[in-house]
Amino acid sequence: MVRTRFAPSPTGYLHIGGLRTALYAYLFARKNGGKFILRIEDTDQNREVAGAVDVIISALAKAGMDYDEGPIVGGAYGPYVQSERKEIYLEYAKKLLDSGDAYCCFCSKERLEDLHKSGATKYDKHCMKLGKAEVERRIAAGEPYVIRQNIPESGTSTYHDEVFGDVTVDFKDLEDNILIKSDGMPTYNFANVIDDHLMGITHCIRGVEYLMSTPKYNLLYDALGWERPVYIHLQPIMRDATHKLSKRDGDAGFEDFLAKGFLPHAIVNYIALLGWNPKDNREKLSMQELTDCFSIEGLQRSSSIFDETKMRWLNSLYIKEMPTDEFHAAAAPFYDKYCPDRNIDYRYLSELLQPRVEILSDIKEKTAFLDMFDGFDLELFVNKKWKTDAALAASLMDELVAETEKGVDGLGERLNAVAESRGLKKGQVLWIYRIALTGAAATPGGGEEMVKLFGVDECVKRLRSVKTRLGK
């Protein structure tokens, strides 16, 4: 059975690149009837951010990615957490010590710094020279130490990656990396190998930054007599031609885009296409469609540049297709933030805005007109295109009040009739009517829609107020 995993570090929000890695692992598992595992790699506890695990779990749920197993927490699967599996890693580290594939290193921080200053590019295997009795004596004396992997000093390693083909690395370029730190906690380089094997991971999908260090992991698999997984390394998502998206550089994460009003699946849909192409070149795909057509063969060797404008466009397609009630529910938090407590029909406002916004935070701009009526400049009635001004507006106010008092049904036809009776163009009357109702040159819909939004009584009140200001 295909088994994949997503193994983030709990160092903050879920980065877009991390979400894409999770997505590809999820899609591959689902496509092949396999299992998708969530594992929290928290071995570097100095970098752990409080609450980050909950953020990761929540983000995956919002993105529509459920994981299949783990320790039962509160009646549901929780993720595997490496810091809770410390004794397991120590057990396998001891096996590597016994076989000579690892050794204890007692070098002080100062010695390592001096080694680096001398021009050495990697650890010099100094502690490999210590005899067994000396090692045991130092351990018994409580001297701090780490456990290092014993990497061959010569030769090469070749392995196959499903995206990049055969990859060859010279052992002389690899460091005797630390497997177990002095506090007994494993490093990522060690724990990920142990966990991937014990959790039966068949396909290891991860970032290309691990492409050249994978031979170190293969040495561990071989030393322990384990089968290697299939490797699938992914190119990074780029901010531009030379800079990759980076959490450390403050680039937006999944939750940031949700806060901006992107829909979860629109984000998922877009990032799926950053580094992978469906055979038919479709751009808008549901999660089921992504699952059905996902393949490793579609993954690209080249990097992709993140284009928020393109993601906005894709998001707008999803917004336009939403049932109005669903859009209204999604828009509600943005009404609360940008235009709360107005005496308007918010449900109708949603009908007006849905075809006019690309992301939900566009609601801020699209509802700015709600604050423009009080004290607006009467010069706004001047419109060169329609040849209108305040004097023409003043001459129309009584008729506009009278037609509005009759209600919204048939209002459009009645306003047209006003224009015809005065020898005016329809646009002249509608421009004056919109300005008189809202004080805004741009609104989501014209005068008739504004009457539905504000209500007849409020609109009559506004027109009479404008009539007074115009002095007629």
Side-chain angles (χ1 to χ4, degrees):
M1 175 184 288
V2 167
R3 290 172 64 86
T4 65
R5 48 75 164 174
F6 176 50
S9 298
T11 54
Y13 62 81
L14 183 54
H15 181 249
I16 286 296
L19 184 67
R20 188 195 62 173
T21 299
L23 176 63
Y24 288 168
Y26 174 85
L27 293 175
F28 188 72
R30 293 290 177 264
K31 171 71 175 289
N32 292 282
K35 300 291 186 182
F36 173 64
I37 312 301
L38 175 62
R39 186 173 75 221
I40 303 300
E41 300 201 333
D42 62 342
T43 56
D44 189 351
Q45 304 221 307
N46 291 327
R47 295 181 59 221
E48 184 170 353
V49 175
V53 174
D54 291 337
V55 169
I56 292 168
I57 293 173
S58 173
L60 290 178
K62 291 173 184 175
M65 289 183 266
D66 55 317
Y67 54 95
D68 294 306
E69 65 180 51
I72 299 297
V73 178
Y77 288 131
Y80 292 105
V81 179
Q82 286 188 330
S83 62
E84 298 172 359
R85 298 164 57 81
K86 182 176 175 181
E87 295 305 316
I88 296 174
Y89 310 124
L90 291 174
E91 173 190 346
Y92 287 101
K94 290 175 182 176
K95 289 185 178 182
L96 293 172
L97 288 172
D98 292 341
S99 65
D101 293 291
Y103 58 94
C104 295
C105 175
F106 299 89
C107 289
S108 65
K109 179 179 179 182
E110 290 74 21
R111 183 185 184 277
L112 295 176
E113 289 177 350
D114 289 343
L115 186 65
H116 177 71
K117 290 176 183 177
S118 72
T121 58
K122 62 180 183 177
Y123 182 64
D124 60 359
K125 291 183 179 285
H126 174 76
C127 289
M128 274 280 293
K129 305 168 187 175
L130 300 177
K132 182 178 179 181
E134 176 68 6
V135 170
E136 291 176 348
R137 183 190 67 77
R138 290 191 176 193
I139 292 176
E143 192 171 334
Y145 68 96
V146 300
I147 299 176
R148 288 183 181 273
Q149 183 177 3
N150 182 17
I151 293 185
E153 296 184 79
S154 62
T156 61
S157 172
T158 299
Y159 74 96
H160 183 77
D161 179 82
E162 293 298 303
V163 177
F164 293 91
D166 288 342
V167 179
T168 299
V169 175
D170 198 314
F171 285 133
K172 67 180 177 58
D173 296 325
L174 300 180
E175 173 97 29
D176 279 8
N177 54 280
I178 296 172
L179 304 180
I180 302 292
K181 294 179 282 188
S182 59
D183 62 359
M185 190 67 73
T187 60
Y188 164 84
N189 290 311
F190 186 47
N192 92 89
V193 169
I194 304 303
D195 283 339
D196 281 350
H197 172 75
L198 296 181
M199 295 175 188
I201 302 304
T202 60
H203 293 74
C204 184
I205 301 175
R206 61 190 177 203
V208 73
E209 62 268 25
Y210 298 107
L211 187 70
M212 303 309 289
S213 58
T214 292
K216 294 190 292 187
Y217 312 142
N218 287 338
L219 287 172
L220 294 174
Y221 280 107
D222 296 346
L224 292 166
W226 294 342
E227 182 178 354
R228 303 174 184 179
V230 175
Y231 292 113
I232 303 162
H233 287 92
L234 310 173
Q235 284 283 20
I237 299 174
M238 306 295 288
R239 185 198 319 153
D240 53 41
T242 57
H243 301 90
K244 69 178 183 178
L245 282 179
S246 170
K247 182 161 59 177
R248 293 181 180 180
D249 292 335
D251 289 320
F254 179 62
E255 296 285 349
D256 295 318
F257 286 114
L258 294 181
K260 285 172 121 179
F262 285 90
L263 302 177
H265 187 67
I267 301 172
V268 168
N269 186 166
Y270 178 67
I271 66 171
L273 304 176
L274 295 177
W276 168 77
N277 280 324
K279 292 180 180 179
D280 54 11
N281 291 319
R282 281 179 293 168
E283 293 188 292
K284 185 174 180 295
L285 300 107
S286 68
M287 184 65 89
Q288 187 58 56
E289 288 171 326
L290 287 172
T291 301
D292 291 342
C293 66
F294 183 78
S295 68
I296 298 303
E297 292 74 24
L299 293 174
Q300 302 168 351
R301 287 193 180 192
S302 58
S303 301
S304 298
I305 295 178
F306 184 86
D307 183 350
E308 187 170 335
T309 300
K310 180 67 174 292
M311 191 166 75
R312 282 181 65 102
W313 166 78
L314 189 60
N315 196 76
S316 72
L317 301 184
Y318 281 96
I319 283 181
K320 288 177 175 62
E321 291 182 357
M322 296 172 76
T324 303
D325 287 343
E326 186 179 325
F327 173 81
H328 182 61
F334 294 86
Y335 295 149
D336 291 341
K337 182 177 182 180
Y338 297 127
C339 54
D341 305 321
R342 302 298 203 283
N343 187 24
I344 58 173
D345 183 344
Y346 282 99
R347 177 63 172 70
Y348 183 63
L349 179 61
S350 290
E351 293 182 27
L352 295 177
L353 294 181
Q354 186 171 356
R356 293 175 168 87
V357 299
E358 291 186 325
I359 60 175
L360 293 170
S361 59
D362 287 347
I363 287 172
K364 179 180 182 180
E365 175 189 351
K366 299 297 183 182
T367 59
F369 75 95
L370 295 173
D371 292 321
M372 293 182 179
F373 179 76
D374 291 336
F376 74 89
D377 188 347
L378 295 178
E379 285 299 309
L380 197 57
F381 283 117
V382 177
N383 185 297
K384 293 182 180 180
K385 174 184 176 181
W386 294 115
K387 298 179 180 178
T388 62
D389 54 26
L392 180 59
S395 72
L396 287 171
M397 278 304 116
D398 284 337
E399 291 172 271
L400 295 181
V401 169
E403 297 305 333
T404 303
E405 288 178 322
K406 295 175 185 177
V408 72
D409 290 342
L411 177 60
E413 289 80 1
R414 297 198 302 273
L415 294 177
N416 289 343
V418 169
E420 290 178 7
S421 69
R422 297 288 299 274
L424 299 171
K425 294 181 179 179
K426 180 174 66 172
Q428 291 176 289
V429 173
L430 295 182
W431 173 262
I432 289 172
Y433 195 54
R434 182 203 301 263
I435 300 301
L437 290 179
T438 66
T443 58
E448 189 172 354
E449 287 82 4
M450 294 302 99
V451 175
K452 290 180 182 179
L453 180 65
F454 292 114
V456 170
D457 292 343
E458 173 63 20
C459 288
V460 168
K461 177 182 175 182
R462 291 186 176 202
L463 290 171
R464 286 175 174 163
S465 171
V466 171
K467 176 183 175 183
T468 300
R469 290 182 62 198
L470 288 167
K472 299 291 183 179

